[in-house]
């Protein structure tokens, strides 16, 4: 796997240090709130497992899965493939995401969960690619791990064609890896 990587963008140590910092903020934010931490599958799983262990207050863990249609005429439409199991009405929700790119998926997830009438929703994304944001997307993540340039990244949960999710760092693929 490593030999398909052109450049390591974020090392394991950099990621863990930033997660520890965000953990301190989130621990303060959610003291006495017993939040529901919602992870959007599958890309978030590695970040989720590390992040949630740095939120040092009681929380409930939950997951959802959506599929987005991201053709050239993308309208930002998505469908829920797996819903959360918690009843979040009146609860504080923290959405964890791997990457905020065009903004379609997260905006959809946010609106979908908002309809369930939670007390609050905040968003924490490991990576943010603001250069790719679609016009009209106004949602802003409350916590951002790293702002990265407009490049397709893999590792630490992020895949190309379902591969590379288990790399412990975030890297940029060599162009020849796409044609494999
Ligand atoms: P959106 O464009 O809706 O903000 O992002 C949707 C999804 O596209 C993300 O959750 C992620 O699964 C995928 N995605 C966006 N940018 C990248 C990237 O650089 N690398 C990988 N592996 N997936 C990405
Ligand atoms: Mg993905």
């Amino acid at each position: 796997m490593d030999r398909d990587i052109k450049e390591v963008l974020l090392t394991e140590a950099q990621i863990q240090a930033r997660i520890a910092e965000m953990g301190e903020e989130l621990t303060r934010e959610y003291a006495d709130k017993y939040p529901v931490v919602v992870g959007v599958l599958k890309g978030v799983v590695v970040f989720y497992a590390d992040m949630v262990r740095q939120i040092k207050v009681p929380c409930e863990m939950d997951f959802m899965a959506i599929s987005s249609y991201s053709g050239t005429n993308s309208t930002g439409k998505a469908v829920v493939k797996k819903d959360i199991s918690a009843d979040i009405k009146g609860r504080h929700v923290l959405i964890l995401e791997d990457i905020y790119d065009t903004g379609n998926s997260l905006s959809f997830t946010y609106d979908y969960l908002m309809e369930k009438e939670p007390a609050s929703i905040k968003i924490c994304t490991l990576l943010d690619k603001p250069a790719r944001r679609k016009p009209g997307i106004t949602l802003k993540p409350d916590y951002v791990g790293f702002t990265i340039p407009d490049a397709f990244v893999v590792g630490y949960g992020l895949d190309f064609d379902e591969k590379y999710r288990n790399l412990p760092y975030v890297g940029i693929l060599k162009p020849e890896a796409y044609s494999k």
Side-chain angles (χ1 to χ4, degrees):
M1 283 194 298
D2 295 281
R3 62 169 179 262
D4 294 340
I5 301 299
K6 184 173 74 177
E7 183 193 337
V8 174
L9 208 58
L10 301 167
T11 65
E12 210 175 337
Q14 284 175 307
I15 296 170
Q16 296 306 328
R18 183 70 187 114
I19 287 175
E21 281 175 6
M22 290 198 289
E24 287 181 15
E25 290 180 60
L26 291 167
T27 298
R28 277 196 296 275
E29 169 76 36
Y30 288 106
D32 307 316
K33 286 189 180 155
Y34 188 43
V36 185
V37 182
V38 176
V40 186
L41 298 171
K42 297 187 266 194
V44 81
V45 286
V46 180
F47 172 53
Y48 190 103
D50 284 341
M51 187 68 254
V52 87
R53 282 178 290 176
Q54 298 299 325
I55 304 175
K56 298 189 176 166
V57 293
C59 64
E60 185 170 348
M61 300 199 225
D62 214 332
F63 298 92
M64 63 184 287
I66 64 171
S67 72
S68 355
Y69 304 108
S70 44
T72 42
N73 285 327
S74 176
T75 52
K77 284 215 179 89
V79 288
V80 175
K81 288 276 184 150
K82 183 216 170 297
D83 205 345
I84 52 169
S85 32
D87 178 5
I88 60 169
K89 187 167 182 171
R91 300 280 305 272
H92 293 282
V93 172
L94 174 65
I95 301 176
L96 294 187
E97 252 284 28
D98 50 358
I99 188 164
Y100 197 41
D101 187 39
T102 63
N104 283 336
S105 311
L106 210 45
S107 297
F108 171 83
T109 304
Y110 181 89
D111 292 345
Y112 178 78
L113 293 178
M114 232 8 175
E115 281 182 23
K116 297 176 187 273
E117 300 177 29
S120 71
I121 299 185
K122 293 212 169 187
I123 296 164
C124 173
T125 182
L126 177 68
L127 306 174
D128 185 14
K129 266 199 260 180
R132 293 255 309 159
R133 205 80 78 246
K134 267 183 54 179
I137 300 273
T138 51
L139 190 67
K140 291 228 167 15
D142 301 279
Y143 300 88
V144 173
F146 301 91
T147 300
I148 61 167
D150 182 9
F152 187 81
V153 294
V154 295
Y156 201 71
L158 291 147
D159 71 308
F160 168 65
D161 203 13
E162 293 302 328
K163 293 190 289 286
Y164 308 105
R165 291 192 197 275
N166 53 337
L167 282 175
Y169 54 83
V170 172
I172 299 174
L173 271 184
K174 287 179 184 163
E176 48 279 27
Y178 292 106
S179 44
K180 273 192 178 169

